[in-house]
């Protein structure tokens, strides 16, 4: 489980497993859509919207202690704000791969302790 | 106790909702400021934890909207800020936020913010009592109680404007603004000790009688000073004492009781002095008719650097429209205030 800092997340959830599971399940259901939202906005060249979408993902991933994803989303937020097409293009590949790792980790965590 | 959580990010919303429920709160949620306001129109809520950046209506606009609503009980607002972001806390305070919490939040931080919120909201129970007493003191002179309510709103408006304008930044923060609002109703509490024959006299006061009236500042301060000796850490009492004692001091040093001048007069009293004077100008008194808004503005402006701190007069001129709005909307508080629920 490298993509998510489970220890920190559980602490944020007051040590309550059911809260952690609810939050992770929510991210599992929404994460892909959040990422696609960023990609769509980038394709449209709607930089502001893309930056806002990245801001949302930054908040969500921070909450579940997906540390790398959080850092990448933060970078994306800034690059999109600056309309830096090249940097955004590079980032979106990395962001997608990191999202996949996260979702994989989440499903394993949830399988270990089914909701 | 009920809390309203406002965030456009569903994950944050879920996390805060479940954490707060676990801590024993009753929790409502909204996805932006507009939804939050719609909720507050239907349900009272004393504690709001809101995101800063949101679509439709952001946290700053939500704070402002809540603070501009007709006065009910105090609503405590915690704004969420992104870690490492360049959020301008001064902007938050000026909009009326009470506290800030970075997100992703740490449970220890959440707990301590909530503790502070509960402490302050529970103090408001005491404030409601004090407010009632202050109105009682005032009720000998006027039967509406509107002066106490309106002038505290004027003072709060000035303090927020000064914060937004970047003035007195070492003194004005969210707590200062809140305390000013809470304590200013006490300004004339010392009048309780003034006999009716002097206080209610409608024709000209003799010099001796005027000297008696002046003692309402020191009489009130003595009582608060005693309480302050027992609770030296109570900022509430300290500000109350400063306002009660100094609200008739003048910037040029010609006021009473001590004839303090300029910055020697505590800032809260300099702000309240203008609020109090403005309300007196636009209120109908037994001994003269109320002047109109234009006249009131001219009188206040003419006292720039004389009766009032020039920076506070400038602030008044910036937000005069809000003052006029408050005059039109402030209702008798006795019909609107309610006791806060206990945590
Ligand atoms: Fe007074």
């Amino acid at each position: 489980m490298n993509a998510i800092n489970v220890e920190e997340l559980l602490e944020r959830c007051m040590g309550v497993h059911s809260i952690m599971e609810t939050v992770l399940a929510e991210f599992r259901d929404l994460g892909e859509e959040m990422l696609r939202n960023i990609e769509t906005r980038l394709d449209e060249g709607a930089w502001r919207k893309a930056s806002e979408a990245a801001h949302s993902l930054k908040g969500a991933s921070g909450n579940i202690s997906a540390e790398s994803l959080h850092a990448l989303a933060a970078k994306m937020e800034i690059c999109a704000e600056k309309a830096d097409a090249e940097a955004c293009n590079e980032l979106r590949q990395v962001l997608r791969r990191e999202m996949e790792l996260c979702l994989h980790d989440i499903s394993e965590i949830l399988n270990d302790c089914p909701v | 106790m009920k809390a309203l959580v406002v965030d456009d990010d569903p994950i944050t919303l879920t996390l805060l909702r479940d954490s707060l429920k676990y801590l024993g709160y009753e929790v409502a949620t909204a996805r932006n400021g507009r939804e939050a306001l719609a909720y507050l129109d239907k349900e009272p809520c004393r504690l709001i934890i809101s995101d800063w950046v949101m679509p439709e209506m952001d946290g700053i606009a939500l704070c402002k909207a809540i603070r501009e609503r007709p006065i009910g009980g105090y609503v405590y607002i915690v704004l969420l800020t992104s870690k490492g972001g360049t959020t301008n806390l001064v902007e938050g305070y000026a909009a009326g936020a009470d506290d800030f919490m970075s997100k992703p939040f740490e449970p220890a931080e959440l707990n301590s913010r909530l503790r502070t919120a509960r402490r302050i909201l529970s103090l408001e129970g005491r404030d409601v009592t004090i407010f009632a007493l202050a109105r009682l003191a005032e009720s000998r002179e006027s039967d509406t109680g509107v002066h106490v309510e309106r002038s505290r709103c004027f003072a709060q408006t000035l303090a927020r404007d000064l914060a937004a304008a970047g003035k007195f930044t070492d003194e004005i923060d969210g707590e200062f603004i809140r305390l000013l609002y809470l304590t200013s109703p006490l300004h004339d509490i010392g009048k309780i000790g003034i006999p009716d024959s002097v206080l209610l006299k409608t024709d000209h006061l003799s010099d001796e009688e005027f000297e008696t009236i002046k003692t309402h500042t020191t009489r009130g301060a003595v009582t608060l000073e005693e309480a302050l000796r027992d609770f030296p850490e109570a900022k509430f009492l300290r500000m109350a004492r400063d306002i009660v004692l100094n609200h008739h001091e003048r910037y040029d040093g010609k006021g009473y009781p001590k004839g303090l001048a300029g910055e020697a007069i505590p800032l809260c009293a300099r702000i309240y002095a203008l609020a109090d004077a403005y309300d007196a100008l636009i209120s109908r008194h037994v001994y003269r008719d109320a002047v109109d808004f234009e006249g009131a503005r001219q009188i206040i402006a003419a006292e720039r650097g004389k009766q009032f701190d020039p920076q506070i007069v400038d602030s008044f001129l910036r937000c005069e429209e809000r003052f006029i709005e408050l005059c039109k909307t402030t209702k008798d508080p006795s019909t609107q205030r309610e006791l806060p629920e206990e945590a």
Side-chain angles (χ1 to χ4, degrees):
Chain A
M1 307 295 152
N2 298 323
I4 291 166
N5 184 338
V6 181
E7 206 173 298
E8 186 189 88
L9 172 59
L10 189 57
E11 197 193 315
R12 181 169 307 117
C13 297
M14 320 264 153
V16 183
H17 277 269
S18 65
I19 298 182
M20 179 175 87
E21 287 150 21
T22 312
V23 173
L24 285 176
E26 186 135 23
F27 190 88
R28 177 192 60 197
D29 298 340
L30 293 172
E32 173 61 29
E33 192 187 316
M34 291 178 112
L35 179 60
R36 220 174 313 125
N37 192 18
I38 301 175
E39 292 171 341
T40 312
R41 299 307 187 183
L42 288 176
D43 290 339
E44 295 166 355
W47 301 110
R48 242 197 89 86
K49 295 263 184 211
S51 176
E52 283 169 12
H55 178 86
S56 299
L57 181 62
K58 179 179 80 174
S61 54
N63 274 324
I64 61 158
S65 294
E67 288 161 352
S68 303
L69 191 64
H70 177 73
L72 290 168
K75 263 189 211 159
M76 180 64 98
E77 183 186 359
I78 295 167
C79 292
E81 179 75 50
K82 288 192 214 148
D84 185 340
E86 201 176 324
C88 284
N89 242 331
E90 264 173 46
L91 268 173
R92 65 190 280 175
Q93 316 295 331
V94 199
L95 203 55
R96 176 149 286 283
R97 200 163 42 229
E98 187 60 33
M99 176 64 84
E100 277 156 16
L101 287 176
C102 272
L103 293 175
H104 175 261
D105 275 15
I106 289 173
S107 69
E108 280 198 2
I109 296 167
L110 292 177
N111 274 337
D112 283 350
C113 41
V115 178
Chain B
M1 183 180 209
K2 195 195 286 171
L4 173 62
V5 182
V6 192
D7 202 309
D8 58 316
D9 168 34
I11 311 284
T12 308
L13 217 51
T14 303
L15 185 57
L16 275 171
R17 183 198 62 203
D18 288 5
S19 301
L20 288 168
K21 275 188 183 164
Y22 177 73
L23 293 170
Y25 289 82
E26 188 189 328
V27 187
T29 58
R31 282 171 306 176
N32 58 57
R34 208 170 300 286
E35 276 189 16
L37 283 181
Y39 178 83
L40 292 171
D41 280 337
K42 288 179 289 164
E43 299 278 337
C45 185
R46 299 299 189 130
L47 174 60
I48 295 178
I49 301 177
S50 171
D51 193 14
W52 191 299
V53 184
M54 289 181 290
E56 299 239 5
M57 182 188 243
D58 66 12
I60 292 291
L62 175 63
C63 283
K64 287 185 183 160
I66 288 172
R67 297 302 181 223
E68 279 170 16
R69 289 152 70 90
I71 309 298
Y74 195 78
V75 177
Y76 192 93
I77 308 172
V78 181
L79 280 184
L80 297 169
T81 61
S82 288
K83 241 174 216 162
T86 50
T87 351
N88 183 357
L89 295 194
V90 172
E91 189 193 359
Y93 283 130
D98 294 285
D99 202 359
F100 303 91
M101 184 166 73
S102 54
K103 71 173 191 178
F105 64 89
E106 311 287 338
E109 191 184 359
L110 176 66
N111 260 319
S112 87
R113 305 285 171 199
L114 291 173
R115 237 192 332 271
T116 308
R118 281 202 310 272
R119 187 170 52 79
I120 282 168
L121 286 172
S122 72
L123 278 178
E124 211 218 357
R126 193 186 317 166
D127 172 55
V128 172
T129 314
I130 291 169
F131 185 84
L133 289 172
R135 282 196 54 217
L136 192 63
E138 200 212 18
S139 68
R140 288 167 63 207
E141 286 181 279
S142 100
D143 49 6
T144 65
V146 129
H147 163 66
V148 170
E149 180 62 26
R150 205 160 45 194
S151 52
R152 82 194 315 204
C153 292
F154 291 153
Q156 189 185 39
T157 302
L158 290 171
R160 284 207 191 115
D161 173 79
L162 288 164
K167 310 287 181 193
F168 308 114
T169 45
D170 48 341
E171 280 195 78
I172 301 182
D173 57 11
E175 186 179 29
F176 178 95
I177 297 171
R178 189 173 58 242
L179 287 178
L180 182 65
Y181 180 77
L182 293 180
T183 56
S184 55
L186 290 168
H187 64 283
D188 274 345
I189 198 85
K191 283 190 177 167
I192 287 173
I194 309 286
D196 278 355
S197 59
V198 178
L199 189 68
L200 304 180
K201 194 172 172 187
T202 51
D203 40 286
H204 194 75
L205 292 174
S206 69
D207 287 352
E208 195 189 331
E209 285 165 336
F210 190 52
E211 288 307 315
T212 307
I213 289 275
K214 284 180 176 178
T215 62
H216 79 276
T217 51
T218 42
R219 282 169 198 266
V222 163
T223 314
L224 289 162
E225 196 68 56
E226 276 165 20
L228 202 51
R229 221 170 295 139
D230 294 335
F231 301 97
E233 298 299 313
K235 292 183 184 169
F236 178 91
L237 287 173
R238 191 169 300 277
M239 190 182 280
R241 189 267 323 266
D242 287 347
I243 289 176
V244 166
L245 185 61
N246 299 298
H247 71 284
H248 288 286
E249 295 290 5
R250 295 171 50 107
Y251 197 74
D252 60 12
K254 294 180 185 162
Y256 66 88
K258 289 191 188 145
L260 297 179
E263 311 250 316
I265 307 164
L267 178 61
C268 55
R270 300 201 310 271
I271 294 173
Y272 188 73
L274 194 153
D276 194 34
Y278 185 81
D279 194 68
L281 283 172
I282 51 104
S283 300
R284 191 171 286 275
H285 278 243
V286 279
Y287 44 89
R288 57 156 175 66
D289 283 336
V291 297
D292 59 16
F293 294 124
E294 172 64 25
R297 174 163 53 82
Q298 285 175 7
I299 292 170
I300 299 281
E303 291 296 329
R304 187 179 187 280
K306 295 177 191 164
Q307 186 175 352
F308 308 120
D309 183 330
Q311 298 204 65
I312 297 170
V313 171
D314 294 345
S315 165
F316 160 73
L317 294 172
R318 280 194 296 272
C319 44
E320 190 203 356
E321 257 176 54
R322 173 82 187 127
F323 274 51
I324 295 173
E325 217 174 280
L326 281 167
C327 291
K328 291 175 179 158
T329 54
T330 314
K331 306 263 166 47
D332 189 327
S334 63
T335 58
Q336 296 197 12
R337 290 189 72 82
E338 45 172 57
L339 283 163
E341 37 183 330
E342 284 302 315

